Amino acid sequence: MKLRTILPAALAALLALPAAAQRESGSFIVRLGNDTVAVEQFVRTPRHLSSHLVSRSPRTVLRRIDADLRADGSVERVVMHSQVLNDPAALPQVITVRLGGDSADVRIARGDTVRNLRVATPNGAWPWIGDSYAFAELALRAVRPMRRDSVALPLISPGAPATTTGTFRRLGRDSVTLLAGAGESRIATDAAGRVLGVASPNSTRKVTVERIAATSAYDVAARFAAAERTGRAMGTLSPRDSVVASVGGANVSVAYGRPARRGRQIAGGVVPWGQVWRTGANNATAFRTDRDLVFGGTRIPAGSYTLYSLPSRDNWLLIVNTQTGQWGTEYHPEQDLARIPAQVRTVTGEPVELFTIRVEPDGQGGALVLSWGDMEVRAPFTVAP
């Protein structure tokens, strides 16, 4: 069923509310562990949604997002103004998306540079902006009155060349799950369908979201920008790093993303038991050796590989996979070269904040060592003769 045919009925209950109840304001705060990564302030009426969204990573950016709504509640136009703070040379960007028919017309402007796109939307589309839970709530309110267990919505992000799909699944009277690009999130709602909070333990971002009273996004942006100017910028959430070592005549290297603990439980939490983990963040963890290595009784020929992990409470398998260059969540078990048992233990002392991979030389071999929080994993190896 096409989105444009189901939206009028879907929003009928919302539009029937008294006028005073139709204007609503509030804020959402987005956290990763104990760090705030974004704050949104919004005002919504039956014909308009205005959002001010400030995000911290890798730089402080302030966005104003305005959406014009049709009488049936569907979105006619979205305009998003984005400005990087603390950088006078950074020109503001303005993206305009006009939705209608079987396509969306997109205009991207920065200074004198303008680019136009036409995005196919044969089943309609719903605007989707990262970290904007006012827009997520708007989408949720569209699907909620359908009273179906599962609803798939085509989503369009301003500036993206194609739509994606978000699938809402009903869990009960007060919660739904959303399966979208970053994975699965659980959304808690009230009786009116308002988003009260979000938890995303099964997504790649793993953020939590809380609805709070209206808070000035401009004041928050000023605080974030001031912290940035004094050397306390949040930076990239999971910076890329590498380690290179010469071990027993072999040159071994690892390139990986380094997520931060941010006060979270790592073993069995951020790194869940019984699920394949990318052994880092973002792009796949790259492992290379120019000599054959032997892990226990498993020989790894010289070459380039990707490292994954399969953790559990009592043991840890280090997975050597032959696919390379992919995003970290793109895992194909049929391309596994080996699954190597590793030693895992809980260590005392100061928890390791940034996930760290080391190559420790030891005679004619050494060990790959993974450390994060109070968790340490060791995979000893020798260099083959």
Side-chain angles (χ1 to χ4, degrees), residues 146-170:
M146 298 178 197
R147 301 188 182 282
R148 289 158 51 186
D149 290 336
S150 180
V151 178
L153 282 186
L155 306 176
I156 183 169
S157 297
T163 60
T164 58
T165 300
T167 301
F168 293 85
R169 292 190 175 92
R170 188 187 304 272

Side-chain angles (χ1 to χ4, degrees), residues 241 243 254 256-262 264-267 270-271 277 279-281 285 307 309 316 318 342-360 367-379:
D241 206 347
V243 57
V254 183
Y256 65 108
R258 303 186 68 188
R261 187 174 66 96
R262 304 184 193 279
R264 300 173 291 175
Q265 175 64 36
I266 301 303
V270 178
V271 179
W277 179 49
T279 316
T285 295
L307 296 182
S309 295
W316 189 291
L318 187 66
Q343 306 159 2
V344 59
R345 69 186 184 106
T346 300
V347 296
T348 58
E350 187 70 22
V352 176
E353 180 63 23
L354 284 178
F355 174 62
T356 302
I357 298 180
R358 305 190 306 277
V359 180
E360 293 186 352
L368 277 177
V369 183
L370 319 180
S371 301
W372 199 14
D374 61 358
M375 173 186 73
E376 183 180 273
V377 178
R378 300 180 69 86

Side-chain angles (χ1 to χ4, degrees), residues 30-300:
V30 184
R31 297 184 179 95
L32 182 59
N34 53 20
D35 288 337
T36 298
V37 296
V39 175
E40 179 181 30
Q41 178 189 11
F42 71 91
V43 176
R44 184 182 59 247
T45 69
R47 299 301 294 270
H48 192 79
L49 171 61
S50 178
S51 164
H52 291 80
L53 175 64
V54 55
S55 55
R56 295 181 67 190
S57 176
R59 300 285 304 277
T60 301
V61 176
L62 181 63
R63 295 179 175 89
R64 172 169 177 164
I65 312 155
D66 290 286
D68 296 327
L69 310 181
R70 299 184 180 94
D72 64 4
S74 61
V75 179
E76 180 176 18
R77 184 183 73 144
V78 178
V79 181
M80 182 169 73
H81 298 255
S82 302
Q83 177 66 64
V84 178
L85 305 185
N86 289 332
D87 188 352
L91 296 174
Q93 182 185 69
V94 181
I95 302 178
T96 304
V97 182
R98 296 182 182 275
L99 296 153
D102 292 331
S103 64
D105 292 321
V106 182
R107 183 179 188 271
I108 306 170
R110 189 189 296 272
D112 296 330
T113 302
V114 176
R115 184 162 59 97
N116 293 292
L117 302 174
R118 175 159 288 182
V119 179
T121 57
N123 297 311
W126 198 267
W128 194 258
I129 293 98
D131 285 334
S132 172
Y133 289 87
F135 276 85
E137 183 174 274
L138 199 63
L140 181 60
R141 286 191 169 200
V143 303
R144 187 171 179 272
M146 298 178 197
R147 301 188 182 282
R148 289 158 51 186
D149 290 336
S150 180
V151 178
L153 282 186
L155 306 176
I156 183 169
S157 297
T163 60
T164 58
T165 300
T167 301
F168 293 85
R169 292 190 175 92
R170 188 187 304 272
L171 290 181
R173 297 178 59 184
D174 60 355
S175 62
V176 299
T177 61
L178 169 63
L179 184 62
E184 185 182 76
S185 299
R186 181 166 179 161
I187 304 173
T189 65
D190 64 10
R194 301 189 315 159
V195 173
L196 301 180
V198 180
S200 306
N202 297 322
S203 77
T204 55
R205 295 199 66 210
K206 301 186 184 301
V207 296
T208 60
V209 181
E210 179 186 1
R211 189 189 198 100
I212 59 175
T215 301
S216 170
Y218 288 102
D219 290 346
V220 174
R223 293 199 299 270
F224 287 171
E228 200 171 86
R229 289 192 298 271
T230 57
R232 293 177 289 131
M234 175 164 280
T236 302
L237 293 179
S238 299
R240 197 72 175 170
D241 206 347
S242 61
V243 57
V244 179
S246 179
V247 181
N251 294 306
V252 177
S253 65
V254 183
Y256 65 108
R258 303 186 68 188
R261 187 174 66 96
R262 304 184 193 279
R264 300 173 291 175
Q265 175 64 36
I266 301 303
V270 178
V271 179
W273 304 132
Q275 298 180 29
V276 172
W277 179 49
R278 70 177 87 184
T279 316
N282 300 328
N283 291 329
T285 295
F287 174 74
R288 185 179 184 280
T289 174
D290 64 359
R291 293 274 302 274
D292 290 8
L293 305 179
V294 179
F295 290 82
T298 302
R299 190 180 186 112
I300 304 299

Side-chain angles (χ1 to χ4, degrees), residues 301-361:
S304 297
Y305 304 97
T306 292
L307 296 182
Y308 295 96
S309 295
L310 182 57
S312 67
R313 288 185 181 274
D314 302 318
N315 56 69
W316 189 291
L317 293 178
L318 187 66
I319 301 171
V320 181
N321 187 277
T322 57
Q323 184 184 9
T324 60
Q326 71 274 25
W327 189 249
T329 55
E330 184 183 338
Y331 171 61
H332 299 285
E334 68 276 8
Q335 297 194 51
D336 286 354
L337 175 67
R339 292 191 168 196
I340 301 166
Q343 306 159 2
V344 59
R345 69 186 184 106
T346 300
V347 296
T348 58
E350 187 70 22
V352 176
E353 180 63 23
L354 284 178
F355 174 62
T356 302
I357 298 180
R358 305 190 306 277
V359 180
E360 293 186 352

Side-chain angles (χ1 to χ4, degrees), residues 8-23:
L11 292 176
L14 174 62
L15 297 178
L17 292 173
Q22 294 181 43
R23 186 187 189 280

